[in-house]
Amino acid sequence: MPSGPGAKLTDVAALAKVSVGTVSNVLNRPDQVSFDKRTRVLAAIEELGFVRNESARSLRSGSTRSLGMLVLDVRNPFFTDVALGAENVAEEHKHSLILANSAEDAGREQAYLELFEQQRVQGVLITPYGQVLQRLERMRDRGIPSVLVDRLASTDQFCSVSVDDVAGGATALQHLVSVGSVRPAFVGGPFTLQQVEDRYRGASDAAARAGVPLQLFETPDLKFERGRRIGDLIGNLQPDKRPDAVFAANDQLALGLLQSFAANGLRVPEDIAIIGFDDIDFASQSSIPLSSISQPRQLIGERAAQLLLDEIDAEPGQHVHSQVVFTPELVARQSTTGR
């Protein structure tokens, strides 16, 4: 009798002296099988080293017990933490999580959504980059719902989990003014990302209320290296033209700025203060601990995954879409408070 991966349902049934249907019920509906038969089947599975063929099972059922998750930048620790929260909830519900990286590329984003459909995932968690809502609607019509992550849904046809980025941007700018900034700047981009647009809008409104001008240094992405390049640009400005404080759209940019300023002989925060956004772990561990606007990273992932599973389990037409919005919080550290 075959054993290990070669063992089949029929082999398990023969060894346990039950029908193939009983073995299937033990695997999928154990509550419908008597204790005695269930015990014999489990013992046979253990003895033969039987491994269920999930690929074949998914072909029969039309879906897998998998969730797809597509983020903007898998190298960004913020998204790593969000994914960890989602994975924890998926695991609790006996689902696996397939993590993919759009790398802020619309074509790559579309390719991964196509792959998720081919893999027959039960649902998708996505931080959108391109214009994907119509595509997500078509996927939902085919039985694959989606939840937007780190992005407030612009329609009540989707669930979403996000933070109030406008409020976060305002909080960051208000903090810079409170520590004495009169020439603050915003560093971030692209503005096609709603998060960047909202954070800048919040900072711009707060600057107007405080009566201070807000310089803008727009970037094509939010990566660490981009922060270094902008930091070199700022460091080469004349002192009277140089901002005295910077609000970076995320912590990766802020950490790149911090490294550049140190290399250019600028003291942080005495010459120029810095605050970021996300409060990733590296923010508190940098050579000069970085002030940041904190998001509940794992909680965002947990809530998003739970909303997705709720929609998957709901009867057709019975799911009520929710838009969960967390309030970000200021975490002030030496990069601003050391003045």
Side-chain angles (χ1 to χ4, degrees):
M1 183 175 293
S3 62
K8 301 178 181 179
L9 282 179
T10 52
D11 299 321
V12 175
L15 184 59
K17 296 182 173 56
V18 297
S19 68
V20 172
T22 297
V23 176
S24 178
N25 282 337
V26 170
L27 293 172
N28 299 292
R29 296 172 293 277
D31 56 302
Q32 297 182 12
V33 183
S34 69
F35 176 80
D36 176 62
K37 288 183 179 179
R38 192 164 67 241
T39 300
R40 282 156 47 198
V41 168
L42 292 175
I45 287 173
E46 177 69 23
E47 182 175 338
L48 293 174
F50 170 79
V51 178
R52 187 202 307 232
N53 188 335
E54 287 291 346
S55 297
R57 179 172 177 265
S58 67
L59 287 171
R60 291 192 299 271
S61 66
S63 67
T64 66
R65 293 188 65 82
S66 298
L67 306 178
M69 185 168 192
L70 186 55
V71 300
L72 294 178
D73 183 3
V74 76
R75 295 175 299 178
N76 185 337
F78 167 77
F79 288 113
T80 305
D81 290 342
V82 172
L84 178 60
E87 183 183 41
N88 289 339
V89 171
E91 184 178 21
E92 289 174 7
H93 291 79
K94 310 301 182 185
H95 283 67
S96 60
L97 186 74
I98 303 172
L99 181 62
N101 176 34
S102 71
E104 299 181 18
D105 182 295
R108 187 180 173 110
E109 181 178 60
Q110 290 288 345
Y112 270 120
L113 290 175
E114 177 70 24
L115 179 63
F116 284 158
E117 281 202 84
Q118 293 173 3
Q119 293 293 323
R120 293 181 170 86
V121 299
Q122 286 195 300
V124 173
L125 301 166
I126 180 171
T127 304
Y129 180 75
Q131 302 300 317
V132 296
L133 290 187
Q134 288 187 346
R135 174 63 183 274
L136 296 179
E137 287 174 353
R138 292 196 299 272
M139 291 176 67
R140 185 182 59 213
D141 292 342
R142 299 182 189 120
I144 304 176
S146 300
V147 172
L148 308 187
V149 183
D150 194 37
R151 174 77 62 84
L152 177 65
S154 58
T155 168
D156 61 5
Q157 296 305 303
F158 291 94
C159 287
S160 66
V161 182
S162 62
V163 300
D164 189 337
D165 287 306
V166 175
T171 298
L173 201 286
Q174 290 163 1
H175 175 64
L176 293 180
V177 171
S178 75
V179 297
S181 173
V182 294
R183 296 192 310 278
F186 178 86
V187 174
F191 279 81
T192 50
L193 286 177
Q194 192 62 50
Q195 298 95 316
V196 174
E197 168 67 29
D198 287 347
R199 291 169 195 180
Y200 176 71
R201 178 155 56 93
S204 182
D205 291 346
R209 289 192 297 270
V212 297
L214 180 64
Q215 289 182 262
L216 171 61
F217 295 88
E218 188 173 354
T219 63
D221 57 55
L222 298 167
K223 296 179 174 61
F224 175 87
E225 183 57 35
R226 194 67 59 182
R228 287 193 58 178
R229 294 179 189 178
I230 295 296
D232 291 344
L233 174 64
I234 292 174
N236 288 324
L237 295 174
Q238 293 298 317
D240 61 335
K241 302 293 185 182
R242 192 169 58 220
D244 60 5
V246 174
F247 167 35
N250 76 351
D251 285 344
Q252 286 194 302
L253 282 175
L255 291 169
L257 289 164
L258 182 62
Q259 187 178 96
S260 173
F261 292 158
N264 283 286
L266 292 175
R267 298 171 301 164
V268 176
E270 292 84 359
D271 297 325
I272 186 165
I274 308 175
I275 186 169
F277 205 109
D278 292 337
D279 194 30
I280 62 176
D281 289 340
F282 292 135
S284 63
Q285 298 166 7
S286 61
S287 56
I288 298 175
L290 179 69
S291 294
S292 188
I293 302 299
S294 177
Q295 302 190 69
R297 304 181 300 277
Q298 288 196 31
L299 184 56
I300 289 171
E302 290 170 2
R303 290 294 294 274
Q306 189 60 62
L307 287 173
L308 183 59
L309 290 167
D310 289 346
E311 186 169 356
I312 290 169
D313 293 338
E315 294 295 326
Q318 297 301 307
H319 180 72
V320 178
H321 294 293
S322 301
Q323 283 76 47
V324 178
V325 181
F326 293 105
T327 300
E329 298 180 354
L330 169 68
V331 179
R333 298 191 180 96
Q334 188 179 341
S335 69
T336 59
T337 61
R339 277 181 165 170

